[in-house]
mmCIF file of all heavy atoms in Angstrom:
data_model
loop_
_atom_site.group_PDB
_atom_site.id
_atom_site.type_symbol
_atom_site.label_atom_id
_atom_site.label_comp_id
_atom_site.label_asym_id
_atom_site.label_seq_id
_atom_site.Cartn_x
_atom_site.Cartn_y
_atom_site.Cartn_z
ATOM 1 N N SER A 836 -2.768 0.938 0.103
ATOM 2 C CA SER A 836 -1.648 1.304 0.981
ATOM 3 C C SER A 836 -1.918 2.599 1.716
ATOM 4 O O SER A 836 -0.991 3.343 1.998
ATOM 5 C CB SER A 836 -0.400 1.528 0.138
ATOM 6 O OG SER A 836 0.520 0.561 0.361
ATOM 7 N N SER A 837 -3.178 2.870 1.994
ATOM 8 C CA SER A 837 -3.474 4.146 2.646
ATOM 9 C C SER A 837 -4.629 4.015 3.641
ATOM 10 O O SER A 837 -5.739 3.638 3.267
ATOM 11 C CB SER A 837 -3.803 5.182 1.567
ATOM 12 O OG SER A 837 -4.452 6.291 2.144
ATOM 13 N N SER A 838 -4.326 4.334 4.897
ATOM 14 C CA SER A 838 -5.381 4.309 5.918
ATOM 15 C C SER A 838 -6.429 5.368 5.607
ATOM 16 O O SER A 838 -7.611 5.162 5.858
ATOM 17 C CB SER A 838 -4.822 4.626 7.307
ATOM 18 O OG SER A 838 -3.823 3.749 7.669
ATOM 19 N N ASN A 839 -5.993 6.503 5.103
ATOM 20 C CA ASN A 839 -6.942 7.576 4.788
ATOM 21 C C ASN A 839 -7.938 7.122 3.729
ATOM 22 O O ASN A 839 -9.133 7.342 3.863
ATOM 23 C CB ASN A 839 -6.205 8.806 4.232
ATOM 24 C CG ASN A 839 -5.591 9.622 5.338
ATOM 25 O OD1 ASN A 839 -5.765 9.301 6.511
ATOM 26 N ND2 ASN A 839 -4.865 10.658 4.980
ATOM 27 N N ALA A 868 -7.183 6.639 11.844
ATOM 28 C CA ALA A 868 -6.571 6.607 10.507
ATOM 29 C C ALA A 868 -5.307 7.451 10.469
ATOM 30 O O ALA A 868 -4.380 7.176 9.716
ATOM 31 C CB ALA A 868 -7.574 7.106 9.467
ATOM 32 N N MET A 872 -1.080 3.688 14.137
ATOM 33 C CA MET A 872 -0.476 2.877 13.084
ATOM 34 C C MET A 872 0.385 1.783 13.676
ATOM 35 O O MET A 872 1.605 1.898 13.761
ATOM 36 C CB MET A 872 0.372 3.764 12.180
ATOM 37 C CG MET A 872 -0.463 4.763 11.480
ATOM 38 S SD MET A 872 0.379 5.531 10.144
ATOM 39 C CE MET A 872 -0.912 6.618 9.611
ATOM 40 N N GLY A 874 0.825 -1.301 12.540
ATOM 41 C CA GLY A 874 1.606 -2.024 11.536
ATOM 42 C C GLY A 874 2.857 -1.233 11.172
ATOM 43 O O GLY A 874 3.966 -1.783 11.063
ATOM 44 N N THR A 875 2.688 0.059 11.023
ATOM 45 C CA THR A 875 3.814 0.925 10.671
ATOM 46 C C THR A 875 4.863 0.906 11.789
ATOM 47 O O THR A 875 6.062 0.786 11.528
ATOM 48 C CB THR A 875 3.300 2.362 10.449
ATOM 49 O OG1 THR A 875 2.308 2.316 9.431
ATOM 50 C CG2 THR A 875 4.409 3.302 10.054
ATOM 51 N N TYR A 878 6.758 -2.388 11.853
ATOM 52 C CA TYR A 878 7.727 -2.433 10.764
ATOM 53 C C TYR A 878 8.933 -1.536 11.054
ATOM 54 O O TYR A 878 10.073 -1.878 10.746
ATOM 55 C CB TYR A 878 7.006 -2.041 9.459
ATOM 56 C CG TYR A 878 7.733 -1.058 8.579
ATOM 57 C CD1 TYR A 878 8.626 -1.505 7.610
ATOM 58 C CD2 TYR A 878 7.523 0.315 8.711
ATOM 59 C CE1 TYR A 878 9.293 -0.593 6.805
ATOM 60 C CE2 TYR A 878 8.183 1.218 7.916
ATOM 61 C CZ TYR A 878 9.071 0.762 6.967
ATOM 62 O OH TYR A 878 9.734 1.664 6.184
ATOM 63 N N ALA A 913 2.761 10.284 11.512
ATOM 64 C CA ALA A 913 2.768 9.782 10.135
ATOM 65 C C ALA A 913 1.381 9.893 9.527
ATOM 66 O O ALA A 913 0.386 9.564 10.161
ATOM 67 C CB ALA A 913 3.221 8.324 10.125
ATOM 68 N N ALA A 914 1.315 10.377 8.294
ATOM 69 C CA ALA A 914 0.024 10.490 7.618
ATOM 70 C C ALA A 914 -0.419 9.113 7.142
ATOM 71 O O ALA A 914 0.414 8.237 6.924
ATOM 72 C CB ALA A 914 0.170 11.425 6.434
ATOM 73 N N GLY A 915 -1.721 8.936 6.964
ATOM 74 C CA GLY A 915 -2.213 7.635 6.499
ATOM 75 C C GLY A 915 -2.169 7.523 5.001
ATOM 76 O O GLY A 915 -3.167 7.239 4.352
ATOM 77 N N ILE A 916 -0.989 7.743 4.447
ATOM 78 C CA ILE A 916 -0.842 7.676 2.989
ATOM 79 C C ILE A 916 0.316 6.736 2.643
ATOM 80 O O ILE A 916 1.134 6.438 3.510
ATOM 81 C CB ILE A 916 -0.572 9.079 2.381
ATOM 82 C CG1 ILE A 916 0.627 9.731 3.097
ATOM 83 C CG2 ILE A 916 -1.781 9.971 2.495
ATOM 84 C CD1 ILE A 916 1.104 11.008 2.437
ATOM 85 N N PRO A 917 0.404 6.295 1.383
ATOM 86 C CA PRO A 917 1.465 5.347 1.045
ATOM 87 C C PRO A 917 2.858 5.908 1.355
ATOM 88 O O PRO A 917 3.136 7.073 1.074
ATOM 89 C CB PRO A 917 1.304 5.138 -0.460
ATOM 90 C CG PRO A 917 -0.102 5.501 -0.750
ATOM 91 C CD PRO A 917 -0.495 6.541 0.260
ATOM 92 N N GLY A 918 3.670 5.071 1.964
ATOM 93 C CA GLY A 918 5.075 5.444 2.168
ATOM 94 C C GLY A 918 5.347 6.387 3.328
ATOM 95 O O GLY A 918 6.500 6.746 3.567
ATOM 96 N N ALA A 919 4.319 6.785 4.068
ATOM 97 C CA ALA A 919 4.541 7.764 5.142
ATOM 98 C C ALA A 919 5.442 7.194 6.240
ATOM 99 O O ALA A 919 6.271 7.903 6.809
ATOM 100 C CB ALA A 919 3.207 8.187 5.746
ATOM 101 N N GLY A 920 5.296 5.904 6.482
ATOM 102 C CA GLY A 920 6.058 5.264 7.553
ATOM 103 C C GLY A 920 7.556 5.291 7.292
ATOM 104 O O GLY A 920 8.370 5.347 8.213
ATOM 105 N N LEU A 921 7.913 5.264 6.013
ATOM 106 C CA LEU A 921 9.328 5.268 5.654
ATOM 107 C C LEU A 921 9.959 6.614 6.016
ATOM 108 O O LEU A 921 11.115 6.690 6.429
ATOM 109 C CB LEU A 921 9.447 5.033 4.149
ATOM 110 C CG LEU A 921 10.832 4.772 3.628
ATOM 111 C CD1 LEU A 921 11.310 3.417 4.109
ATOM 112 C CD2 LEU A 921 10.854 4.819 2.118
ATOM 113 N N ASP A 945 9.744 -1.837 0.117
ATOM 114 C CA ASP A 945 8.888 -1.029 0.984
ATOM 115 C C ASP A 945 7.422 -1.045 0.583
ATOM 116 O O ASP A 945 6.537 -1.085 1.425
ATOM 117 C CB ASP A 945 9.380 0.417 1.070
ATOM 118 C CG ASP A 945 8.747 1.090 2.266
ATOM 119 O OD1 ASP A 945 9.054 0.674 3.390
ATOM 120 O OD2 ASP A 945 7.890 1.981 2.089
ATOM 121 N N ASP A 949 4.423 -1.958 2.910
ATOM 122 C CA ASP A 949 3.487 -0.868 3.192
ATOM 123 C C ASP A 949 2.045 -1.381 3.063
ATOM 124 O O ASP A 949 1.173 -1.094 3.878
ATOM 125 C CB ASP A 949 3.754 0.273 2.194
ATOM 126 C CG ASP A 949 3.056 1.570 2.582
ATOM 127 O OD1 ASP A 949 2.384 1.593 3.629
ATOM 128 O OD2 ASP A 949 3.176 2.549 1.832
ATOM 129 N N ARG A 952 1.381 -3.514 6.107
ATOM 130 C CA ARG A 952 1.260 -2.820 7.398
ATOM 131 C C ARG A 952 0.003 -1.945 7.442
ATOM 132 O O ARG A 952 -0.589 -1.758 8.509
ATOM 133 C CB ARG A 952 2.513 -2.020 7.730
ATOM 134 C CG ARG A 952 2.850 -0.876 6.814
ATOM 135 C CD ARG A 952 4.287 -0.398 7.014
ATOM 136 N NE ARG A 952 4.511 0.854 6.307
ATOM 137 C CZ ARG A 952 5.488 1.066 5.438
ATOM 138 N NH1 ARG A 952 6.361 0.121 5.179
ATOM 139 N NH2 ARG A 952 5.619 2.224 4.855
ATOM 140 N N THR A 953 -0.440 -1.474 6.270
ATOM 141 C CA THR A 953 -1.668 -0.671 6.254
ATOM 142 C C THR A 953 -2.880 -1.525 6.663
ATOM 143 O O THR A 953 -3.788 -1.050 7.342
ATOM 144 C CB THR A 953 -1.880 -0.041 4.863
ATOM 145 O OG1 THR A 953 -0.676 0.632 4.493
ATOM 146 C CG2 THR A 953 -3.001 0.973 4.864
ATOM 147 N N ASN A 956 -2.817 -1.519 10.285
ATOM 148 C CA ASN A 956 -3.213 -0.201 10.805
ATOM 149 C C ASN A 956 -4.729 -0.053 10.881
ATOM 150 O O ASN A 956 -5.278 0.365 11.894
ATOM 151 C CB ASN A 956 -2.656 0.917 9.911
ATOM 152 C CG ASN A 956 -1.140 1.018 9.982
ATOM 153 O OD1 ASN A 956 -0.524 0.438 10.867
ATOM 154 N ND2 ASN A 956 -0.535 1.746 9.063
ATOM 155 N N VAL A 957 -5.419 -0.404 9.792
ATOM 156 C CA VAL A 957 -6.871 -0.167 9.777
ATOM 157 C C VAL A 957 -7.612 -1.196 10.644
ATOM 158 O O VAL A 957 -8.652 -0.885 11.223
ATOM 159 C CB VAL A 957 -7.452 -0.162 8.340
ATOM 160 C CG1 VAL A 957 -6.812 0.927 7.507
ATOM 161 C CG2 VAL A 957 -7.294 -1.490 7.663
HETATM 162 N N1 LIG B 782 0.634 3.530 4.334
HETATM 163 C C1 LIG B 782 0.443 3.522 5.752
HETATM 164 C C2 LIG B 782 -0.984 3.913 6.098
HETATM 165 O O1 LIG B 782 -1.611 4.632 5.375
HETATM 166 C C3 LIG B 782 1.415 4.396 6.461
HETATM 167 C C4 LIG B 782 2.806 3.837 6.277
HETATM 168 O O2 LIG B 782 3.174 2.927 7.023
HETATM 169 O O3 LIG B 782 3.511 4.258 5.388
HETATM 170 O O4 LIG B 782 -1.519 3.488 7.082
#
Side-chain angles (χ1 to χ4, degrees):
S836 249
S837 163
S838 302
N839 280 357
M872 296 194 180
T875 303
Y878 135 89
I916 53 171
L921 190 69
D945 197 66
D949 193 1
R952 64 195 191 233
T953 308
N956 292 346
V957 300

